[in-house]
Amino acid sequence: MPPPLEVVVLAAGKGTRMKSQRPKVLHELAGKAMLHHVLDKATALGAVNTHVVVGHQADTVREQTPHRANWVLQTEQLGTGHALQQVVPHLRDDSIVLTLYGDVPLVSEDTLSRCVAAAQSGRVALVTADFADPAALGRIIRNKDGQITAIVEYKDASKTQRAITEINSGILAVPGALLKTLLARLTNDNAQGEYYLTDVVELAVADGVAVDGVIAAKPEEVTGVNDRVQLAELERIFQRDQVEALQRAGVTIADPGRVDIRGSLTAASDVFIDVNVVFEGDVVLEAGARVGPHCFIRNAHIGANATVESHTSVDGAVLQSEALAGPFARLRPGTELGPGVKIGNFVETKKAVLGAGSKASHLTYLGDVTVGKNCNIGAGTVTCNYDGINKHRTEIGDDVFVGTNSTLVAPLSLGNGSFVAAGSTITLNLNDSDLGVGRGKQRNIKGWTRPDKRSDAK
């Protein structure tokens, strides 16, 4: 049985270059804080303990993080090695300790799993990456057997060493007892007076402990965020990867660069997604569903061959097969459109359940209402669901016709096959097949003339 896994996430830095009042690790990528992305990886790996080292705005980071963790305060930021030293009293000797960074959100579960597996034989395992342009990053030096023998900082590297493209990510896995021994020997004998985690590798090599390099599948996995430019770059990389996975699963995306997925999007084959669509939360698109341009979809289920037309907001709603919403519609939480239901332009729904084949084509508000099958809700219809204190429901049966510009004052029930005359305010229940007329009496004045414009009018 493999040793238990403990994860340490370093998240104490201020992030000065972000130029923000918000802690750097709480800046969002794809709608979720970078730190939360990293903690999700710890959960996925099955960590028995997750320790988060915090410093700058520690209380804010704790309060805005829903994950279960052991919070360790680093009162002074004296380097990555110093940060890890603060966690030593909480670490188990028999564990594998994996160190991650709260501002490196794209590292994959696969890469981390390989790193942990490499450390299970009692070695130090370090995640590395090949960069086409490694710039000033620290270079990995290996011996002929492929073991890492040193990490050389760019400023100290020779011309030959600078030509090396494999770089140090800082992510490493070490057996707990070994890590404690190495951390105890760190010194701050350097120009910055800080304790560096990279020195752990040098100490291990000096002790004859093998150091394995685990190469990340993609260099962006180990790319950290120091400013908003880098955050935006990782955002596009993250979105690109999600879009490519959807395309390979049979989804057509009009422009891969103009879709944002800020949560979980599950899409079946032959789904079509147009430009400038934003998905949040958990969204499911069944086979053949179509989403038009400039739509916002959050925590929604779009059924097979259903259509969301342009500029439509679908939030916490369900569209069953062949249903249509939009353009310019707003479906709020609790909305459920049955098969073939049509919700048109400038229609708003909230806690509205519409049966198969019913439609509200334009300029309507349906709130706290149940609508039966094959109903027609005319333009300008409003369900008056709020009396200033409580909400009330409207119950509409099957085959009901509601004429244009009607006001339905809840609580109210309209029976099957009933009819509401256009321009009516309905306050009394209608039985099956009743006609409801609630208009003020019209009065025509013969011979009426329009008054003259006043001479002093401006």
Side-chain angles (χ1 to χ4, degrees), residues 91-137:
L91 297 176
R92 296 169 50 166
D93 288 343
D94 64 341
S95 68
I96 298 296
V97 180
L98 174 66
T99 301
L100 304 177
Y101 298 83
D103 60 356
V104 182
L106 296 190
V107 62
S108 71
E109 184 181 339
D110 174 70
T111 295
L112 297 178
S113 295
R114 290 188 288 120
C115 183
V116 170
Q120 288 173 353
S121 60
R123 306 180 177 209
V124 172
L126 176 68
V127 174
T128 70
D130 276 318
F131 276 71
D133 179 13
L137 297 172

Side-chain angles (χ1 to χ4, degrees), residues 92-430:
R92 296 169 50 166
D93 288 343
D94 64 341
S95 68
I96 298 296
V97 180
L98 174 66
T99 301
L100 304 177
Y101 298 83
D103 60 356
V104 182
L106 296 190
V107 62
S108 71
E109 184 181 339
D110 174 70
T111 295
L112 297 178
S113 295
R114 290 188 288 120
C115 183
V116 170
Q120 288 173 353
S121 60
R123 306 180 177 209
V124 172
L126 176 68
V127 174
T128 70
D130 276 318
F131 276 71
D133 179 13
L137 297 172
R139 304 304 203 263
I140 296 295
I141 309 300
R142 293 178 182 259
N143 62 21
K144 63 180 181 179
D145 297 322
Q147 297 295 317
I148 294 175
T149 58
I151 300 172
V152 179
E153 297 303 323
Y154 180 80
K155 65 180 183 304
D156 300 322
S158 66
K159 184 176 181 180
T160 300
Q161 290 170 332
R162 288 183 179 183
I164 296 172
T165 57
E166 187 180 10
I167 62 91
N168 167 43
S169 74
I171 297 171
L172 75 166
V174 187
L178 174 60
L179 179 63
K180 291 181 179 181
T181 300
L182 296 173
L183 288 173
R185 292 162 56 194
L186 290 182
T187 69
N188 63 345
D189 186 18
N190 52 62
Q192 286 72 34
E194 295 186 350
Y195 299 86
Y196 294 127
L197 190 54
T198 51
D199 290 346
V200 164
V201 173
E202 181 180 342
L203 292 170
V205 170
D207 290 349
V209 177
V211 179
D212 282 351
V214 177
I215 302 177
K218 299 178 181 179
E220 51 262 31
E221 286 192 41
V222 301
T223 300
V225 171
N226 292 307
D227 58 31
R228 296 175 195 257
V229 173
Q230 292 176 323
L231 180 61
E233 290 171 348
L234 290 195
E235 176 77 35
R236 293 329 311 161
I237 290 169
F238 184 84
Q239 296 298 337
R240 180 201 67 198
D241 289 347
Q242 292 187 99
V243 166
E244 287 183 0
L246 290 169
Q247 290 174 312
R248 297 186 192 284
V251 177
T252 297
I253 297 178
D255 184 347
R258 288 193 285 170
V259 173
D260 283 273
I261 302 168
R262 302 169 186 170
S264 170
L265 174 59
T266 302
S269 62
D270 295 320
V271 163
F272 175 79
I273 300 172
D274 216 321
V275 300
N276 296 329
V277 178
V278 176
F279 297 96
E280 286 190 0
D282 296 322
V283 177
V284 175
L285 304 177
E286 293 188 19
R290 298 179 65 86
V291 180
H294 309 289
C295 290
F296 173 75
I297 316 290
R298 177 167 58 196
N299 295 326
H301 190 117
I302 312 298
N305 300 309
T307 300
V308 179
E309 297 281 13
S310 69
H311 297 87
T312 293
S313 172
V314 181
D315 183 3
V318 174
L319 280 68
Q320 295 185 26
S321 61
E322 308 287 344
L324 181 147
F328 294 96
R330 184 186 181 196
L331 277 56
R332 293 167 57 191
T335 294
E336 182 173 338
L337 308 186
V341 168
K342 295 182 180 179
I343 295 294
N345 53 289
F346 305 107
V347 174
E348 180 180 355
T349 64
K350 189 270 293 183
K351 292 184 180 178
V353 179
L354 280 73
S358 290
K359 59 184 178 180
S361 297
H362 32 233
L363 303 166
T364 292
Y365 172 68
L366 298 174
D368 296 283
V369 61
T370 299
V371 179
K373 300 177 182 178
N374 301 314
C375 296
N376 182 85
I377 310 298
T381 296
V382 174
T383 55
C384 300
N385 56 334
Y386 184 49
D387 63 9
I389 299 174
N390 298 308
K391 297 289 182 69
H392 303 278
R393 290 197 66 82
T394 298
E395 303 289 339
I396 299 176
D398 297 336
D399 303 304
V400 173
F401 184 95
V402 178
T404 298
N405 201 32
S406 294
T407 302
L408 308 179
V409 182
L412 187 66
S413 174
L414 306 182
N416 295 332
S418 59
F419 194 106
V420 174
S424 292
T425 296
I426 303 298
T427 59
L428 302 177
N429 295 339
L430 299 182

